[in-house]
């Protein structure tokens, strides 16, 4: 009984821990993309648990059946070259498992990279999400408003986030609505999300990119269409305009709270690369391979930190390297 105690403790721990999975954000989806990812994660976990169960059962079986005991002290097992059928089985089964998971993963990736099937007939709500150290700017070109460090979206509507950065590479991730995607300084990336449940969801930067990484959290509020339209109307009536000087000051500030404006920075600081039909002729023509001149100028406010010329190894002599260097100089 004592020998089986650790095994019983392991199974009891799994039983006690599994109910806590419901509190994990990625396993508590509130949108079709997140649900697809959650189903894939759970399927992968179940398959891995199945493999572990088979391995542990065979492990315990072999330990019990072929353990040393007084009745077989002098037993010497005969030499065997192997069993072709067993070898074929334990080679074929892993190949089938990997192939199955590969197909599921590819299908999941294709699904989440596109608009959810339920919303394909809709015109998506386009939101430009740009990061600067250490904040998020959300620009609504259709509504003509901009928010900082929070984003509101209507439920049951496709949302297309167009991501880029004014500084280091960031990654926008709202776990309960979908997967993460990187925001880079010289290109646009697209993330398709949608919510089917009204609620407040935590968004964050999923890419460690410096000292303010932990501060790059924001609220994603999924609202009914009526509440969303009322919010847009309220912003236009009460918020102030976003000027170019104000925007440059925002980029210089490292930490800010929530802010709301009645226009976007897209007109005087267009995003890099191709930026769709939402931009008017107010923006200058593209005169560089990646990004506009305005974007290049603004991103210099928060340049990526340059690596230090000094490292921890500079002060430590290395006899082998010194010897090699002396040898080469001699030649």
């Amino acid at each position: 009984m004592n020998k089986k105690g650790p095994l019983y403790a392991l199974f009891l721990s799994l039983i006690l821990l599994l109910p806590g999975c419901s509190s994990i954000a990625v396993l508590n989806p509130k949108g079709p993309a997140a649900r697809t990812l959650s189903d894939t994660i759970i399927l992968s976990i179940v398959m891995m648990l199945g493999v572990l169960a088979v391995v542990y059962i065979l492990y315990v079986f072999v330990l019990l059946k072929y353990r040393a005991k007084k009745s077989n002290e002098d037993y010497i097992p005969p030499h065997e070259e192997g069993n072709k059928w067993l070898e074929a089985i334990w080679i074929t089964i892993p190949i089938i498992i990997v192939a199955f998971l590969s197909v599921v993963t590819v299908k999941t990736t294709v699904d989440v990279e596109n608009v959810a099937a339920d919303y394909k007939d809709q015109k998506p709500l386009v939101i430009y999400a740009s990061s600067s150290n250490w904040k998020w700017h959300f620009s609504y070109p259709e509504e003509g408003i901009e928010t900082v460090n929070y984003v509101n979206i209507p439920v049951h509507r496709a949302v297309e986030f167009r991501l880029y950065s004014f500084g280091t590479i960031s990654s926008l991730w709202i776990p309960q609505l979908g997967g993460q995607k990187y925001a880079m300084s010289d290109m646009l990336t697209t993330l398709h999300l949608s919510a089917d449940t009204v609620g407040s969801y935590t968004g964050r930067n999923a890419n460690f990119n410096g000292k303010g990484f932990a501060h790059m959290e924001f609220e994603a509020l999924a609202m009914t269409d009526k509440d969303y339209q009322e919010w847009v109307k309220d912003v236009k009536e009460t918020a102030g305009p976003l000027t170019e000087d104000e925007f440059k000051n925002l980029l210089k500030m490292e930490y800010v709270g929530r802010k709301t404006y009645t226009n976007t920075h897209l007109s005087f600081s267009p995003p890099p690369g191709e930026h769709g039909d939402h931009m008017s002729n107010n923006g200058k023509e593209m005169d560089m391979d990646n990004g506009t001149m305005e974007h290049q100028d603004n991103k210099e406010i928060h340049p990526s930190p340059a690596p230090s010329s000094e490292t921890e190894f500079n002060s430590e002599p290395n006899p082998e390297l010194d010897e090699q260097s002396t040898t080469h100089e001699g030649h």
Side-chain angles (χ1 to χ4, degrees):
M1 182 66 182
N2 292 334
K3 294 181 180 179
K4 296 182 180 179
L7 189 61
Y8 289 138
L10 174 63
F11 282 113
L12 181 61
S13 299
L14 289 174
I15 292 173
L16 293 175
L17 289 174
L18 284 176
C21 291
S22 60
S23 62
I24 300 176
V26 293
L27 299 180
N28 186 23
K30 300 299 181 181
R35 192 168 295 108
T36 299
L37 293 172
S38 176
D39 291 344
T40 302
I41 292 172
I42 292 173
L43 175 63
S44 301
I45 292 174
V46 169
M47 292 198 67
M48 288 186 284
L49 288 176
V51 171
L52 286 175
V54 172
V55 170
Y56 283 129
I57 289 172
L58 290 176
Y59 176 69
V60 173
F61 172 78
V62 170
L63 285 180
L64 294 177
K65 183 174 178 62
Y66 299 103
R67 70 188 187 278
K69 49 189 177 182
K70 292 183 179 180
S71 60
N72 62 5
E73 287 181 352
D74 299 326
Y75 174 73
I76 300 177
H79 176 71
E80 294 185 6
E81 293 295 334
N83 187 302
K84 293 182 179 179
W85 286 107
L86 287 178
E87 292 176 3
I89 289 173
W90 64 56
I91 291 174
T92 302
I93 290 178
I95 293 175
I96 293 174
I97 293 173
V98 172
F100 175 75
L101 289 177
S102 298
V103 171
V104 171
T105 301
V106 170
K107 184 178 183 302
T108 297
T109 303
V110 172
D111 289 342
V112 300
E113 281 293 317
N114 296 288
V115 179
D118 294 341
Y119 308 122
K120 282 188 178 294
D121 59 339
Q122 295 182 0
K123 179 183 177 182
L125 171 64
V126 175
I127 301 176
Y128 285 85
S130 53
S131 65
S132 64
N133 307 352
W134 313 96
K135 67 195 83 69
W136 290 97
H137 311 260
F138 297 98
S139 306
Y140 298 72
E142 293 179 11
E143 286 79 1
I145 61 177
E146 182 160 326
T147 63
V148 178
N149 287 335
Y150 79 98
V151 60
N152 292 349
I153 61 174
V155 294
H156 303 301
R157 182 172 176 186
V159 180
E160 179 181 314
F161 285 99
R162 299 182 182 180
L163 315 174
Y164 62 100
S165 172
F166 286 98
T168 58
I169 296 177
S170 304
S171 176
L172 188 140
W173 185 31
I174 308 173
Q176 290 183 270
L177 298 183
Q180 63 87 27
K181 186 162 283 190
Y182 291 106
M184 294 169 277
S185 64
D186 288 331
M187 65 180 295
L188 281 179
T189 53
T190 303
L191 178 64
H192 294 282
L193 297 179
S194 50
D196 52 23
T197 304
V198 173
S200 174
Y201 310 114
T202 300
R204 56 176 57 91
N205 173 19
N207 181 58
F208 181 78
N209 59 352
K211 64 178 183 179
F213 160 76
H215 295 274
M216 293 188 71
E217 286 194 352
F218 61 92
E219 180 189 24
L221 183 62
M223 317 164 72
T224 64
D225 187 65
K226 179 182 178 182
D227 290 341
Y228 177 76
Q229 296 301 331
E230 290 180 355
W231 170 73
V232 171
K233 180 181 177 182
D234 181 66
V235 168
K236 291 182 176 181
E237 292 176 351
T238 60
L242 176 62
T243 63
E244 188 169 0
D245 290 338
E246 169 76 5
F247 181 65
K248 289 182 180 293
N249 288 332
L250 277 176
L251 293 181
K252 292 177 182 178
M253 297 169 64
E254 292 190 344
Y255 309 110
V256 299
R258 293 189 177 198
K259 290 184 176 293
T260 311
Y261 301 96
T262 54
N263 62 307
T264 74
H265 71 264
L266 302 178
S267 59
F268 51 78
S269 180
E274 296 296 331
H275 42 83
D277 300 328
H278 296 287
M279 296 305 301
S280 66
N281 294 326
N282 294 331
K284 295 182 180 179
E285 293 296 326
M286 299 291 291
D287 52 3
M288 50 196 320
D289 293 336
N290 283 313
T292 61
M293 287 299 297
E294 295 90 340
H295 176 72
Q296 296 296 327
D297 292 341
N298 285 331
K299 80 174 189 177
E300 290 304 319
I301 294 175
H302 272 304
S304 298
S308 172
S309 59
E310 293 292 325
T311 69
E312 60 180 316
F313 302 104
N314 289 113
S315 59
E316 297 180 8
N318 191 326
E320 294 182 3
L321 291 178
D322 293 340
E323 183 179 350
Q324 292 177 6
S325 176
T326 304
T327 304
H328 284 297
E329 290 176 359
H331 287 295

